[in-house]
Amino acid sequence: MSKHTFVTIGILIGLVLGAILGEVLYQMYDGAVPDGWLEGLSFVGKTFFMGLLKMVLIPLIASSVLVGVASIGDPSKLGRVGFTTLFYYFSTMLIAVVIGVVLVSTIHPGGDFDLALRDEAVTEFEASGSTAQQRVGGASGTGLWGAVKNITSQIVPSNPVAAAAQGKMLPVITFSLIFGIVLIVVGEKGKPVLRVFEGVFAAIMKLVEWILYLAPIGVLALVAWTVARIGTLNLFGPLSMYVVTVIVGLLIHGAIVLPLVLWAFGKTNPYRYMWQMKDALMTAFGTDSSSATLPVTIETSQREGGVSKKSAEFVLPLGATVNMDGTALYEAVAVVFLFQCFGIELGMTELLIIVFTATLAAVGAAGIPSAGLVTMVIVVEAVNGSLGGDKVLPLAAIGIILGIDRILDMCRTTVNVWGDAVGAKIITRIAPDDEHAQPG
Ligand code: ASP
Protein backbone atom coordinates (compact mmCIF):
# COMPACT_ATOMS: atom_id res chain seq x y z
CA MET A 1 0.00 0.00 0.00
CA SER A 2 1.43 3.40 -0.94
CA LYS A 3 1.83 5.96 1.81
CA HIS A 4 -0.83 8.14 0.20
CA THR A 5 -3.40 5.33 0.17
CA PHE A 6 -2.52 4.77 3.80
CA VAL A 7 -3.29 8.42 4.61
CA THR A 8 -6.55 8.33 2.63
CA ILE A 9 -7.82 5.24 4.43
CA GLY A 10 -6.68 6.80 7.70
CA ILE A 11 -8.71 9.96 7.07
CA LEU A 12 -11.78 7.91 6.17
CA ILE A 13 -11.46 5.85 9.34
CA GLY A 14 -10.92 9.09 11.28
CA LEU A 15 -14.16 10.54 9.93
CA VAL A 16 -16.20 7.45 10.80
CA LEU A 17 -14.64 6.88 14.21
CA GLY A 18 -14.97 10.59 15.00
CA ALA A 19 -18.68 10.51 14.27
CA ILE A 20 -19.14 7.36 16.35
CA LEU A 21 -17.11 8.70 19.27
CA GLY A 22 -18.99 12.01 19.18
CA GLU A 23 -22.38 10.32 19.12
CA VAL A 24 -21.44 7.89 21.92
CA LEU A 25 -20.31 10.82 24.08
CA TYR A 26 -23.45 12.78 23.26
CA GLN A 27 -25.67 9.84 24.24
CA MET A 28 -23.62 8.90 27.28
CA TYR A 29 -23.84 12.38 28.78
CA ASP A 30 -27.36 13.11 27.52
CA GLY A 31 -26.23 16.00 25.36
CA ALA A 32 -24.18 17.68 28.10
CA VAL A 33 -20.71 16.36 27.31
CA PRO A 34 -18.26 17.57 29.99
CA ASP A 35 -15.92 20.41 29.06
CA GLY A 36 -12.89 18.21 29.66
CA TRP A 37 -13.83 16.00 26.71
CA LEU A 38 -14.69 18.90 24.44
CA GLU A 39 -11.52 20.76 25.32
CA GLY A 40 -9.40 17.65 24.75
CA LEU A 41 -10.91 17.03 21.32
CA SER A 42 -10.69 20.69 20.41
CA PHE A 43 -7.05 20.75 21.47
CA VAL A 44 -6.11 17.84 19.20
CA GLY A 45 -8.29 18.92 16.28
CA LYS A 46 -8.19 22.68 16.30
CA THR A 47 -5.15 23.78 18.22
CA PHE A 48 -2.86 21.06 16.95
CA PHE A 49 -3.99 19.80 13.53
CA MET A 50 -5.69 22.91 12.18
CA GLY A 51 -2.98 25.00 13.83
CA LEU A 52 -0.39 23.21 11.69
CA LEU A 53 -2.42 23.74 8.52
CA LYS A 54 -2.86 27.41 9.34
CA MET A 55 0.83 27.70 10.11
CA VAL A 56 1.74 26.97 6.50
CA LEU A 57 -1.12 28.94 5.01
CA ILE A 58 0.33 32.44 4.54
CA PRO A 59 3.76 31.39 3.21
CA LEU A 60 1.97 28.88 1.00
CA ILE A 61 -0.43 31.42 -0.47
CA ALA A 62 2.23 34.07 -0.96
CA SER A 63 4.66 31.72 -2.68
CA SER A 64 2.10 29.77 -4.69
CA VAL A 65 0.28 32.78 -6.13
CA LEU A 66 3.52 34.55 -6.88
CA VAL A 67 5.14 31.54 -8.56
CA GLY A 68 1.88 30.62 -10.31
CA VAL A 69 1.37 34.09 -11.76
CA ALA A 70 4.99 34.42 -12.79
CA SER A 71 4.95 31.02 -14.49
CA ILE A 72 1.92 32.01 -16.55
CA GLY A 73 4.09 34.95 -17.55
CA ASP A 74 2.60 36.58 -20.60
CA PRO A 75 0.21 39.30 -19.31
CA SER A 76 -2.41 38.65 -22.00
CA LYS A 77 -2.51 34.98 -21.08
CA LEU A 78 -2.69 35.97 -17.43
CA GLY A 79 -5.64 38.19 -18.24
CA ARG A 80 -7.39 35.34 -20.00
CA VAL A 81 -6.76 32.94 -17.12
CA GLY A 82 -7.85 35.56 -14.56
CA PHE A 83 -11.00 36.44 -16.43
CA THR A 84 -12.00 32.80 -17.02
CA THR A 85 -11.34 31.98 -13.36
CA LEU A 86 -13.51 34.82 -12.08
CA PHE A 87 -16.21 34.03 -14.63
CA TYR A 88 -16.21 30.41 -13.48
CA TYR A 89 -16.39 31.40 -9.80
CA PHE A 90 -19.31 33.79 -10.19
CA SER A 91 -21.34 31.76 -12.65
CA THR A 92 -21.16 28.57 -10.58
CA MET A 93 -21.99 30.48 -7.40
CA LEU A 94 -25.01 32.00 -9.10
CA ILE A 95 -26.18 28.58 -10.27
CA ALA A 96 -25.75 27.29 -6.71
CA VAL A 97 -27.85 30.10 -5.24
CA VAL A 98 -30.59 29.60 -7.81
CA ILE A 99 -30.71 25.88 -6.99
CA GLY A 100 -31.01 26.81 -3.31
CA VAL A 101 -33.79 29.33 -3.87
CA VAL A 102 -35.80 26.99 -6.11
CA LEU A 103 -35.48 24.08 -3.70
CA VAL A 104 -36.35 26.01 -0.54
CA SER A 105 -39.33 27.63 -2.27
CA THR A 106 -40.56 24.24 -3.47
CA ILE A 107 -39.94 22.15 -0.35
CA HIS A 108 -41.01 25.02 1.94
CA PRO A 109 -39.31 23.60 5.05
CA GLY A 110 -40.24 26.56 7.28
CA GLY A 111 -43.96 26.32 6.57
CA ASP A 112 -45.13 24.50 9.68
CA PHE A 113 -42.20 25.09 11.98
CA ASP A 114 -43.12 24.91 15.68
CA LEU A 115 -43.72 28.53 16.74
CA ALA A 116 -42.91 27.96 20.42
CA LEU A 117 -39.60 26.38 19.48
CA ARG A 118 -38.89 29.25 17.12
CA ASP A 119 -39.50 31.95 19.74
CA GLU A 120 -37.51 30.07 22.33
CA ALA A 121 -34.50 29.83 19.97
CA VAL A 122 -34.70 33.54 19.15
CA THR A 123 -34.93 34.66 22.80
CA GLU A 124 -32.13 32.32 23.79
CA PHE A 125 -29.89 33.64 21.02
CA GLU A 126 -30.58 37.26 21.96
CA ALA A 127 -29.75 36.64 25.60
CA SER A 128 -26.81 34.32 25.03
CA GLY A 129 -24.01 36.84 24.46
CA SER A 130 -22.23 33.97 22.69
CA THR A 131 -19.44 34.49 20.19
CA ALA A 132 -21.85 33.74 17.36
CA GLN A 133 -24.28 36.33 18.69
CA GLN A 134 -21.54 38.94 18.94
CA ARG A 135 -20.31 38.19 15.42
CA VAL A 136 -23.81 38.42 14.00
CA GLY A 137 -24.39 41.67 15.92
CA GLY A 138 -21.06 43.04 14.69
CA ALA A 139 -21.93 42.26 11.08
CA SER A 140 -25.33 43.96 11.30
CA GLY A 141 -25.93 47.44 9.98
CA THR A 142 -23.13 47.19 7.44
CA GLY A 143 -25.57 46.78 4.56
CA LEU A 144 -24.75 45.96 0.98
CA TRP A 145 -22.43 48.91 0.56
CA GLY A 146 -20.61 47.85 3.73
CA ALA A 147 -20.12 44.39 2.26
CA VAL A 148 -18.73 45.81 -0.98
CA LYS A 149 -16.41 48.13 0.95
CA ASN A 150 -15.23 45.27 3.12
CA ILE A 151 -14.37 43.09 0.11
CA THR A 152 -12.66 45.98 -1.68
CA SER A 153 -10.60 46.96 1.36
CA GLN A 154 -9.34 43.40 1.44
CA ILE A 155 -8.57 43.36 -2.25
CA VAL A 156 -6.55 46.58 -1.97
CA PRO A 157 -4.28 45.99 1.01
CA SER A 158 -2.87 49.12 2.58
CA ASN A 159 -0.33 47.07 4.47
CA PRO A 160 0.35 43.58 3.08
CA VAL A 161 2.75 42.68 5.87
CA ALA A 162 0.18 43.52 8.56
CA ALA A 163 -2.43 41.56 6.62
CA ALA A 164 -0.10 38.57 6.46
CA ALA A 165 0.61 38.85 10.17
CA GLN A 166 -3.13 38.79 10.84
CA GLY A 167 -3.57 35.75 8.62
CA LYS A 168 -5.81 37.57 6.11
CA MET A 169 -5.70 35.74 2.83
CA LEU A 170 -7.21 38.05 0.26
CA PRO A 171 -4.76 40.97 0.76
CA VAL A 172 -1.84 38.55 0.61
CA ILE A 173 -3.20 37.09 -2.63
CA THR A 174 -3.57 40.53 -4.23
CA PHE A 175 -0.10 41.62 -3.24
CA SER A 176 1.50 38.36 -4.41
CA LEU A 177 -0.37 38.59 -7.68
CA ILE A 178 0.89 42.10 -8.38
CA PHE A 179 4.37 41.26 -7.16
CA GLY A 180 4.52 38.17 -9.41
CA ILE A 181 3.65 40.27 -12.45
CA VAL A 182 6.23 42.92 -11.51
CA LEU A 183 8.95 40.29 -11.09
CA ILE A 184 8.34 39.16 -14.65
CA VAL A 185 8.33 42.75 -15.90
CA VAL A 186 11.72 43.56 -14.32
CA GLY A 187 13.18 40.49 -16.06
CA GLU A 188 16.68 39.27 -15.12
CA LYS A 189 16.79 41.10 -11.79
CA GLY A 190 13.54 39.48 -10.71
CA LYS A 191 14.70 35.94 -11.40
CA PRO A 192 16.65 35.31 -8.16
CA VAL A 193 13.64 36.47 -6.12
CA LEU A 194 11.41 34.10 -8.06
CA ARG A 195 13.83 31.25 -7.43
CA VAL A 196 13.62 31.95 -3.69
CA PHE A 197 9.83 31.79 -3.74
CA GLU A 198 9.95 28.58 -5.80
CA GLY A 199 12.11 27.12 -3.06
CA VAL A 200 9.74 28.33 -0.36
CA PHE A 201 6.80 26.79 -2.20
CA ALA A 202 8.52 23.42 -2.67
CA ALA A 203 9.48 23.30 1.01
CA ILE A 204 5.99 24.21 2.19
CA MET A 205 4.47 21.51 0.00
CA LYS A 206 6.80 18.96 1.59
CA LEU A 207 5.65 20.17 4.98
CA VAL A 208 2.04 19.74 3.91
CA GLU A 209 2.76 16.15 2.98
CA TRP A 210 4.05 15.56 6.49
CA ILE A 211 1.11 17.33 8.11
CA LEU A 212 -1.22 15.10 6.10
CA TYR A 213 0.05 12.11 8.08
CA LEU A 214 -1.64 13.68 11.09
CA ALA A 215 -4.92 14.23 9.25
CA PRO A 216 -6.58 10.99 10.39
CA ILE A 217 -6.23 11.87 14.06
CA GLY A 218 -6.98 15.55 13.47
CA VAL A 219 -10.13 14.80 11.52
CA LEU A 220 -11.24 12.23 14.10
CA ALA A 221 -10.96 14.78 16.90
CA LEU A 222 -12.69 17.54 14.93
CA VAL A 223 -15.66 15.42 13.88
CA ALA A 224 -16.02 13.94 17.38
CA TRP A 225 -15.96 17.49 18.82
CA THR A 226 -18.73 18.63 16.48
CA VAL A 227 -20.95 15.59 16.89
CA ALA A 228 -20.47 15.48 20.69
CA ARG A 229 -21.90 18.99 20.92
CA ILE A 230 -24.76 18.57 18.49
CA GLY A 231 -25.64 14.87 18.30
CA THR A 232 -26.48 13.45 14.91
CA LEU A 233 -30.05 12.63 15.95
CA ASN A 234 -30.80 16.35 16.19
CA LEU A 235 -30.52 16.45 12.44
CA PHE A 236 -33.75 14.45 12.37
CA GLY A 237 -35.52 16.78 14.81
CA PRO A 238 -37.72 19.78 13.99
CA LEU A 239 -35.13 21.15 11.58
CA SER A 240 -35.00 17.97 9.53
CA MET A 241 -36.74 19.38 6.44
CA TYR A 242 -34.38 22.35 6.45
CA VAL A 243 -31.40 20.00 6.74
CA VAL A 244 -32.79 17.88 3.89
CA THR A 245 -33.23 20.98 1.69
CA VAL A 246 -29.63 22.12 2.24
CA ILE A 247 -28.18 18.65 1.71
CA VAL A 248 -30.26 17.90 -1.40
CA GLY A 249 -29.21 21.28 -2.84
CA LEU A 250 -25.55 20.62 -2.11
CA LEU A 251 -25.84 17.15 -3.65
CA ILE A 252 -27.48 18.49 -6.82
CA HIS A 253 -24.81 21.14 -7.17
CA GLY A 254 -21.82 19.05 -6.14
CA ALA A 255 -22.73 15.71 -7.71
CA ILE A 256 -24.57 16.81 -10.85
CA VAL A 257 -24.02 20.47 -11.82
CA LEU A 258 -20.29 20.81 -11.13
CA PRO A 259 -19.50 17.42 -12.71
CA LEU A 260 -21.45 18.49 -15.80
CA VAL A 261 -19.51 21.76 -15.94
CA LEU A 262 -16.24 19.85 -15.58
CA TRP A 263 -17.20 17.33 -18.22
CA ALA A 264 -18.26 20.05 -20.66
CA PHE A 265 -15.43 22.54 -20.13
CA GLY A 266 -12.65 20.46 -18.61
CA LYS A 267 -13.08 17.43 -20.89
CA THR A 268 -12.50 15.24 -17.87
CA ASN A 269 -14.31 12.31 -16.32
CA PRO A 270 -15.71 14.27 -13.33
CA TYR A 271 -16.33 11.36 -10.99
CA ARG A 272 -12.87 9.97 -11.48
CA TYR A 273 -11.49 13.41 -10.69
CA MET A 274 -13.75 13.61 -7.61
CA TRP A 275 -12.28 10.32 -6.45
CA GLN A 276 -8.75 11.62 -7.07
CA MET A 277 -9.53 14.66 -4.93
CA LYS A 278 -10.88 12.59 -2.01
CA ASP A 279 -8.16 13.56 0.50
CA ALA A 280 -8.94 17.23 0.08
CA LEU A 281 -12.70 16.67 0.15
CA MET A 282 -12.53 14.61 3.32
CA THR A 283 -10.25 17.14 4.97
CA ALA A 284 -12.72 19.88 4.07
CA PHE A 285 -15.52 17.83 5.61
CA GLY A 286 -13.50 17.30 8.77
CA THR A 287 -12.10 20.79 9.24
CA ASP A 288 -15.07 22.97 8.14
CA SER A 289 -12.55 25.31 6.59
CA SER A 290 -11.60 25.84 2.94
CA SER A 291 -8.58 27.86 4.03
CA ALA A 292 -7.22 25.21 6.36
CA THR A 293 -7.84 22.64 3.60
CA LEU A 294 -6.07 24.72 0.94
CA PRO A 295 -2.63 23.17 1.45
CA VAL A 296 -4.17 19.71 1.01
CA THR A 297 -6.20 20.84 -2.02
CA ILE A 298 -3.10 22.18 -3.77
CA GLU A 299 -1.11 19.07 -2.96
CA THR A 300 -3.79 16.55 -3.95
CA SER A 301 -4.85 18.34 -7.13
CA GLN A 302 -1.32 18.20 -8.50
CA ARG A 303 -0.29 14.78 -7.20
CA GLU A 304 -3.49 12.91 -7.98
CA GLY A 305 -5.75 15.13 -10.04
CA GLY A 306 -3.43 16.08 -12.90
CA VAL A 307 -3.98 19.80 -12.32
CA SER A 308 -1.19 21.94 -13.74
CA LYS A 309 1.12 23.74 -11.32
CA LYS A 310 0.18 27.05 -12.89
CA SER A 311 -3.49 26.48 -12.34
CA ALA A 312 -3.24 24.96 -8.85
CA GLU A 313 -0.97 27.71 -7.61
CA PHE A 314 -3.14 30.53 -8.88
CA VAL A 315 -6.74 29.28 -9.02
CA LEU A 316 -6.92 27.37 -5.73
CA PRO A 317 -5.74 30.06 -3.27
CA LEU A 318 -8.07 32.59 -4.84
CA GLY A 319 -10.89 30.05 -4.89
CA ALA A 320 -10.46 29.20 -1.21
CA THR A 321 -11.38 32.76 -0.29
CA VAL A 322 -13.64 33.90 -3.11
CA ASN A 323 -15.36 30.86 -4.62
CA MET A 324 -17.89 29.32 -2.24
CA ASP A 325 -20.67 27.52 -4.06
CA GLY A 326 -21.77 25.55 -1.01
CA THR A 327 -21.93 28.64 1.20
CA ALA A 328 -23.85 30.63 -1.41
CA LEU A 329 -26.44 27.85 -1.77
CA TYR A 330 -26.67 27.40 1.98
CA GLU A 331 -27.16 31.12 2.69
CA ALA A 332 -30.01 31.29 0.20
CA VAL A 333 -31.77 28.26 1.69
CA ALA A 334 -31.22 29.40 5.26
CA VAL A 335 -32.51 32.93 4.73
CA VAL A 336 -35.66 31.90 2.85
CA PHE A 337 -36.26 29.19 5.48
CA LEU A 338 -36.04 31.73 8.32
CA PHE A 339 -38.47 34.06 6.57
CA GLN A 340 -40.83 31.12 6.10
CA CYS A 341 -40.60 30.35 9.84
CA PHE A 342 -41.86 33.87 10.51
CA GLY A 343 -44.68 33.50 8.02
CA ILE A 344 -43.17 36.09 5.66
CA GLU A 345 -43.59 35.03 2.07
CA LEU A 346 -41.03 36.54 -0.28
CA GLY A 347 -41.86 37.91 -3.71
CA MET A 348 -39.81 37.74 -6.88
CA THR A 349 -37.97 40.99 -6.03
CA GLU A 350 -36.83 39.63 -2.66
CA LEU A 351 -35.78 36.32 -4.21
CA LEU A 352 -33.69 38.19 -6.77
CA ILE A 353 -32.13 40.24 -3.98
CA ILE A 354 -31.28 36.98 -2.25
CA VAL A 355 -29.65 35.59 -5.40
CA PHE A 356 -27.47 38.66 -5.68
CA THR A 357 -26.62 39.23 -2.02
CA ALA A 358 -26.08 35.56 -1.15
CA THR A 359 -23.46 35.38 -3.89
CA LEU A 360 -21.79 38.51 -2.55
CA ALA A 361 -22.04 37.27 1.03
CA ALA A 362 -20.40 34.00 0.03
CA VAL A 363 -17.55 35.87 -1.68
CA GLY A 364 -17.11 37.93 1.48
CA ALA A 365 -17.15 34.89 3.77
CA ALA A 366 -13.71 33.81 4.91
CA GLY A 367 -12.82 30.15 4.45
CA ILE A 368 -13.23 29.45 8.15
CA PRO A 369 -15.84 27.56 10.18
CA SER A 370 -19.27 29.23 10.40
CA ALA A 371 -18.24 32.26 8.35
CA GLY A 372 -21.34 31.79 6.20
CA LEU A 373 -23.59 32.06 9.23
CA VAL A 374 -22.25 35.53 9.93
CA THR A 375 -22.22 36.96 6.41
CA MET A 376 -25.82 35.79 6.11
CA VAL A 377 -26.67 38.98 7.99
CA ILE A 378 -26.02 40.91 4.76
CA VAL A 379 -28.69 38.87 2.98
CA VAL A 380 -31.25 39.16 5.78
CA GLU A 381 -30.78 42.93 6.03
CA ALA A 382 -31.04 43.44 2.28
CA VAL A 383 -34.32 41.51 2.18
CA ASN A 384 -35.63 43.33 5.27
CA GLY A 385 -34.78 46.62 3.57
CA SER A 386 -36.75 45.62 0.50
CA LEU A 387 -39.77 44.43 2.50
CA GLY A 388 -39.87 47.60 4.61
CA GLY A 389 -42.66 48.17 7.13
CA ASP A 390 -43.05 45.89 10.09
CA LYS A 391 -42.67 42.62 8.20
CA VAL A 392 -39.01 42.15 9.03
CA LEU A 393 -36.98 39.20 10.17
CA PRO A 394 -35.18 39.73 13.51
CA LEU A 395 -31.48 38.96 13.16
CA ALA A 396 -31.75 36.75 16.23
CA ALA A 397 -33.74 34.35 14.05
CA ILE A 398 -30.32 32.99 13.10
CA GLY A 399 -30.45 31.36 16.55
CA ILE A 400 -32.94 28.85 15.13
CA ILE A 401 -30.35 27.28 12.84
CA LEU A 402 -27.28 27.94 14.96
CA GLY A 403 -27.38 24.62 16.80
CA ILE A 404 -26.90 22.40 13.78
CA ASP A 405 -24.90 24.83 11.69
CA ARG A 406 -21.60 23.14 12.28
CA ILE A 407 -22.70 19.87 10.70
CA LEU A 408 -24.12 21.63 7.64
CA ASP A 409 -20.89 23.62 7.52
CA MET A 410 -18.99 20.37 6.99
CA CYS A 411 -21.13 19.63 3.94
CA ARG A 412 -21.02 23.09 2.39
CA THR A 413 -17.26 23.41 2.94
CA THR A 414 -16.80 20.14 1.03
CA VAL A 415 -18.77 21.60 -1.90
CA ASN A 416 -16.76 24.84 -1.64
CA VAL A 417 -13.49 22.94 -1.98
CA TRP A 418 -14.90 20.72 -4.73
CA GLY A 419 -15.91 23.86 -6.66
CA ASP A 420 -12.35 25.20 -6.37
CA ALA A 421 -10.92 21.88 -7.51
CA VAL A 422 -13.23 21.76 -10.54
CA GLY A 423 -12.18 25.32 -11.45
CA ALA A 424 -8.50 24.41 -11.21
CA LYS A 425 -9.00 21.41 -13.50
CA ILE A 426 -10.84 23.50 -16.09
CA ILE A 427 -8.19 26.23 -16.00
CA THR A 428 -5.52 23.56 -16.50
CA ARG A 429 -6.75 23.39 -20.10
CA ILE A 430 -5.87 27.01 -20.76
CA ALA A 431 -2.82 27.07 -18.50
CA PRO A 432 -1.15 23.66 -18.85
CA ASP A 433 2.35 23.03 -17.58
CA ASP A 434 4.69 22.87 -20.50
CA GLU A 435 5.85 19.31 -19.95
CA HIS A 436 2.35 17.82 -20.17
CA ALA A 437 0.70 20.45 -22.27
CA GLN A 438 -2.87 19.62 -23.17
CA PRO A 439 -4.76 20.82 -26.19
CA GLY A 440 -6.45 24.08 -25.29
N1 ASP B 1 -16.75 26.98 6.45
C1 ASP B 1 -16.91 27.46 5.11
C2 ASP B 1 -15.58 27.36 4.38
O1 ASP B 1 -14.55 27.40 4.99
C3 ASP B 1 -17.43 28.85 5.04
C4 ASP B 1 -18.84 28.87 5.57
O2 ASP B 1 -19.77 28.63 4.81
O3 ASP B 1 -19.05 29.06 6.76
O4 ASP B 1 -15.56 27.21 3.18
Side-chain angles (χ1 to χ4, degrees):
M1 198 191 309
S2 82
K3 52 186 182 183
H4 292 304
T5 318
F6 187 70
V7 169
T8 305
I9 294 175
I11 300 177
L12 188 64
I13 294 175
L15 284 176
V16 176
L17 284 186
I20 295 174
L21 174 63
E23 187 60 32
V24 167
L25 285 172
Y26 187 84
Q27 296 298 337
M28 207 160 82
Y29 292 104
D30 248 348
V33 179
D35 283 349
W37 267 106
L38 294 178
E39 273 164 23
L41 292 171
S42 160
F43 175 77
V44 177
K46 287 187 171 184
T47 316
F48 185 60
F49 175 60
M50 279 180 77
L52 284 172
L53 285 173
K54 286 186 197 158
M55 172 183 86
V56 296
L57 203 56
I58 292 294
L60 172 70
I61 296 168
S63 59
S64 88
V65 174
L66 198 145
V67 172
V69 165
S71 65
I72 296 173
D74 175 6
S76 71
K77 184 153 190 200
L78 196 60
R80 195 168 142 225
V81 170
F83 176 79
T84 318
T85 306
L86 290 180
F87 182 76
Y88 165 81
Y89 289 166
F90 282 96
S91 48
T92 48
M93 273 193 281
L94 275 176
I95 298 174
V97 178
V98 171
I99 294 175
V101 168
V102 170
L103 270 183
V104 71
S105 304
T106 319
I107 301 179
H108 215 274
D112 45 11
F113 194 75
D114 186 333
L115 296 189
L117 215 62
R118 177 196 79 183
D119 296 339
E120 191 189 323
V122 172
T123 325
E124 219 173 79
F125 185 74
E126 264 167 351
S128 69
S130 63
T131 327
Q133 196 241 15
Q134 286 165 15
R135 284 171 71 195
V136 165
S140 78
T142 50
L144 211 52
W145 177 233
V148 173
K149 266 203 323 209
N150 174 32
I151 295 173
T152 315
S153 71
Q154 292 205 45
I155 292 174
V156 187
S158 50
N159 185 344
V161 179
Q166 288 161 11
K168 291 185 181 162
M169 289 172 62
L170 215 48
V172 176
I173 290 178
T174 322
F175 183 75
S176 313
L177 213 143
I178 300 170
F179 201 58
I181 298 173
V182 166
L183 283 181
I184 290 295
V185 173
V186 297
E188 271 312 306
K189 284 202 172 142
K191 280 195 177 143
V193 183
L194 257 180
R195 296 281 302 154
V196 169
F197 277 99
E198 276 167 12
V200 171
F201 181 68
I204 294 282
M205 287 319 283
K206 193 71 201 164
L207 209 53
V208 171
E209 230 184 283
W210 292 347
I211 296 173
L212 255 178
Y213 291 124
L214 299 170
I217 185 80
V219 160
L220 186 152
L222 285 166
V223 173
W225 178 77
T226 302
V227 175
R229 288 180 320 138
I230 301 172
T232 46
L233 290 182
N234 274 338
L235 291 178
F236 306 103
L239 286 165
S240 60
M241 281 321 280
Y242 161 69
V243 172
V244 166
T245 314
V246 173
I247 291 183
V248 168
L250 291 175
L251 278 176
I252 294 178
H253 191 71
I256 301 174
V257 175
L258 286 176
L260 270 178
V261 173
L262 180 56
W263 174 75
F265 298 101
K267 301 280 176 251
T268 300
N269 177 340
Y271 298 106
R272 210 182 76 187
Y273 180 60
M274 193 187 271
W275 176 248
Q276 289 165 336
M277 289 304 296
K278 57 192 174 304
D279 282 3
L281 299 179
M282 289 194 294
T283 308
F285 188 80
T287 58
D288 277 2
S289 167
S290 325
S291 305
T293 310
L294 179 63
V296 188
T297 320
I298 296 184
E299 207 262 346
T300 317
S301 67
Q302 291 184 56
R303 172 171 50 81
E304 298 275 330
V307 169
S308 70
K309 263 171 76 62
K310 288 175 185 165
S311 174
E313 289 164 11
F314 173 69
V315 179
L316 292 174
L318 199 59
T321 49
V322 171
N323 182 40
M324 297 202 180
D325 295 7
T327 301
L329 186 148
Y330 155 82
E331 296 207 5
V333 174
V335 170
V336 179
F337 166 74
L338 292 177
F339 274 98
Q340 288 172 352
C341 287
F342 279 76
I344 306 172
E345 289 307 323
L346 303 175
M348 205 54 197
T349 318
E350 283 78 35
L351 293 182
L352 282 175
I353 290 178
I354 289 181
V355 169
F356 178 66
T357 49
T359 308
L360 199 71
V363 172
I368 56 172
S370 295
L373 194 73
V374 179
T375 59
M376 191 192 301
V377 172
I378 300 169
V379 189
V380 174
E381 288 189 334
V383 179
N384 276 345
S386 158
L387 286 170
D390 48 13
K391 265 197 333 182
V392 292
L393 183 75
L395 281 185
I398 291 179
I400 299 174
I401 51 173
L402 181 72
I404 51 155
D405 181 67
R406 194 74 194 206
I407 291 190
L408 292 182
D409 198 0
M410 294 165 125
C411 307
R412 64 181 187 256
T413 306
T414 311
V415 174
N416 289 346
V417 170
W418 172 229
D420 299 340
V422 168
K425 187 73 181 174
I426 292 174
I427 299 298
T428 298
R429 290 196 73 217
I430 52 173
D433 286 335
D434 303 328
E435 59 276 18
H436 49 83
Q438 300 173 20

